[in-house]
Amino acid sequence: MQTTYLDNNATTPVSEEAASAIRRCLQSVYGNPSSLHMLGIEAERELNAARRELARILRADPREVYFCSGATEANNTLISGIARASRARGTHIVTTTVEHPSVLEPVQELERNGFSVSYLAPHPVRGVLPEQVLDALRADTVLVSIMQVNNETGAIFPVEEIARAVKAVRAEIVVHSDGVQGFGKLAPPTAALDAYSVSAHKLHGPKGVGAFFLRDGVRCKPLLLGGGHEHGLRAGTENLPGAAGFAAAAGAAEQQREAAQQRMQRLKDELVTAIEQIPDAQLLSPPHALATTVAAAFPPIPGEVMVNALSEQGVSASTGAACAASRGKRSHVLEALGFERRSIDSAVRFSLSRLTTADEIRRVTELLPHTVARLRPVAERVLR
Ligand code: PMP
């Protein structure tokens, strides 16, 4: 059966560039970058090259780029570490209700440890507005963390504008953004930010490797203590093949970014037009969402039933975030955006990448109307 992969917000296939960088490091650069001998020096050189490449793309200094195991670790390190390092100055944090759990959970943990948190509710169409963030600031605010692109809807939040607005009134507040779904797809907003989290496996790099940007001079306590790697902020022998694969994937994404976005937008428009023609289908993504993501609902068909039916026909989609889907949890993002329960329970997310083909989109647009027409009467009967 032909496969149509439309779950790229969950993870992406590894690109040729990344696979060959990983293979080269695995097979011939096996030294420990901290070792003093020739093989160690060679590994360190390779790691530095990967760091320089990410720094170039992030428009940062290589000393401001730290490798880690993925964006979950990057978000945990930055949020918990920056908050703990700033405790003497204040204990208030501003974030949104639609962040990924790897932001929300550490924030909630800080709340249990004496911090107070303002959770901003984004507008379903306009997103998070800089005024909203400014209104939430308090004298004791130390950290603002707002994602660049939402993983469930593709909504783009103006993080650069937000960071500039915050910095204009209180330069000492640290501004972080979870850039997982925006990195390699939008221009990096790092010039305006203090901290930014990214992950390799969302842009055709390997799983289990990520990085974060932390502006020089911003204080952060490490989560992992040990051998002092990554300038003391992330102990543990570096995942060199992962870092090299990440740098190769990020380089390719950056080089093809604009052309890929335009092509994906055309494919997404085709998919949206097809969805709009299905009776009673509802688009959950805002009109100006990133070209990667289309969230839609076909009530009253449960999202899992649609995803299974599509899967049987070779199409991989998702009910929403893969981590929530696997636990059968109702989406906190769609709930926060105020969608009715009926729409949330029917949500299906299609997510594209630069490797998505026109054929894949054609297949799903052909399958969708028939699949909905077949499943809807059954769902209506069961719910009656
Ligand atoms: N933030 C967002 C917005 C994400 O979509 C994800 C991946 N689901 C993460 C953080 C976590 O990234 P990782 O899988 O690298 O831990």
Side-chain angles (χ1 to χ4, degrees):
M1 192 175 7
Q2 240 182 318
T3 55
T4 297
Y5 185 68
L6 293 172
D7 198 14
N8 288 282
N9 285 10
T11 197
T12 55
V14 173
S15 68
E16 260 320 306
E17 299 89 343
S20 84
I22 295 165
R23 202 173 304 118
R24 190 173 51 74
C25 281
L26 278 175
Q27 290 173 338
S28 48
V29 196
Y30 57 83
N32 184 325
S34 301
S35 295
L36 296 179
H37 49 68
M38 238 166 45
L39 286 175
I41 293 167
E42 191 190 352
E44 190 190 21
R45 201 177 301 132
E46 198 70 58
L47 184 66
N48 286 341
R51 198 186 308 281
R52 272 200 308 278
E53 176 64 350
L54 273 186
R56 181 188 68 77
I57 297 165
L58 291 169
R59 294 166 203 165
D61 189 282
R63 281 172 314 174
E64 298 173 317
V65 174
Y66 301 79
F67 285 109
C68 62
S69 68
T72 295
E73 185 187 335
N75 285 336
N76 272 267
T77 302
L78 292 170
I79 287 168
S80 157
I82 292 168
R84 286 181 295 126
S86 315
R87 195 164 197 142
R89 285 194 290 111
T91 51
H92 177 240
I93 298 170
V94 178
T95 188
T96 78
T97 49
V98 299
E99 299 295 317
H100 188 265
S102 60
V103 166
L104 290 176
E105 299 261 341
V107 161
Q108 285 156 10
E109 179 65 14
L110 287 164
E111 229 175 344
R112 288 189 284 274
N113 284 287
F115 280 79
S116 54
V117 182
S118 299
Y119 295 94
L120 306 179
H123 184 276
V125 174
R126 286 175 293 142
V128 185
L129 305 172
E131 305 84 89
Q132 231 180 323
V133 180
L134 290 183
D135 281 347
L137 297 183
R138 302 191 331 204
D140 60 344
T141 307
V142 286
L143 174 65
V144 170
S145 178
I146 294 176
M147 70 197 328
Q148 186 183 17
V149 175
N150 184 269
N151 49 310
E152 293 193 37
T153 64
I156 304 170
F157 297 151
V159 289
E160 279 177 276
E161 224 184 300
I162 290 169
R164 293 214 170 88
V166 169
K167 293 288 181 185
V169 292
R170 294 266 308 286
E172 71 280 14
I173 295 177
V174 178
V175 184
H176 164 253
S177 180
D178 172 351
V180 170
Q181 300 288 349
F183 184 50
K185 294 155 193 165
L186 295 170
T190 28
L193 297 172
D194 296 304
Y196 186 61
S197 312
V198 293
S199 182
H201 75 104
K202 308 286 183 170
L203 42 63
H204 305 292
K207 292 166 186 58
V209 57
F212 55 89
F213 157 78
L214 182 68
R215 182 171 300 290
D216 192 24
V218 177
R219 292 185 54 222
C220 179
K221 292 192 174 190
L223 278 188
L224 298 186
L225 306 173
H229 308 75
E230 300 296 292
H231 320 301
L233 245 185
R234 202 280 182 175
T237 302
E238 296 87 349
N239 171 2
L240 179 57
F246 190 4
E254 176 63 13
Q255 201 189 4
Q256 298 169 41
R257 180 160 61 80
E258 283 174 24
Q261 285 307 304
Q262 283 174 18
R263 209 180 64 81
M264 269 195 280
Q265 187 64 50
R266 284 196 296 276
L267 295 179
K268 176 183 167 179
D269 290 345
E270 268 177 50
L271 179 54
V272 167
T273 306
I275 291 172
E276 282 172 341
Q277 284 166 2
I278 297 173
D280 297 323
Q282 189 187 359
L283 276 173
L284 307 176
S285 291
H288 301 295
L290 193 63
T292 50
T293 313
V294 184
F298 307 94
I301 308 168
E304 308 87 270
V305 172
M306 260 316 271
V307 166
N308 285 336
L310 290 171
S311 174
E312 280 163 13
Q313 301 172 86
V315 175
S316 303
S318 170
T319 53
C323 38
S326 68
R327 286 184 288 168
K329 271 179 67 179
R330 192 167 277 128
S331 158
H332 73 284
V333 171
L334 299 178
E335 267 180 351
L337 294 173
F339 287 110
E340 288 175 15
R341 183 166 281 203
R342 174 180 151 86
S343 311
I344 300 175
D345 289 346
S346 293
V348 180
R349 179 186 70 183
F350 302 96
S351 48
L352 289 69
S353 88
R354 75 166 197 277
L355 302 185
T356 302
T357 64
D359 265 358
E360 287 181 297
I361 296 299
R362 202 164 310 123
R363 266 173 56 75
V364 74
T365 55
E366 280 168 14
L367 285 175
L368 264 178
H370 303 296
T371 309
V372 173
R374 176 163 60 82
L375 296 177
R376 197 168 253 154
V378 184
E380 278 164 353
R381 215 174 317 124
V382 170
L383 289 172
R384 209 178 291 137

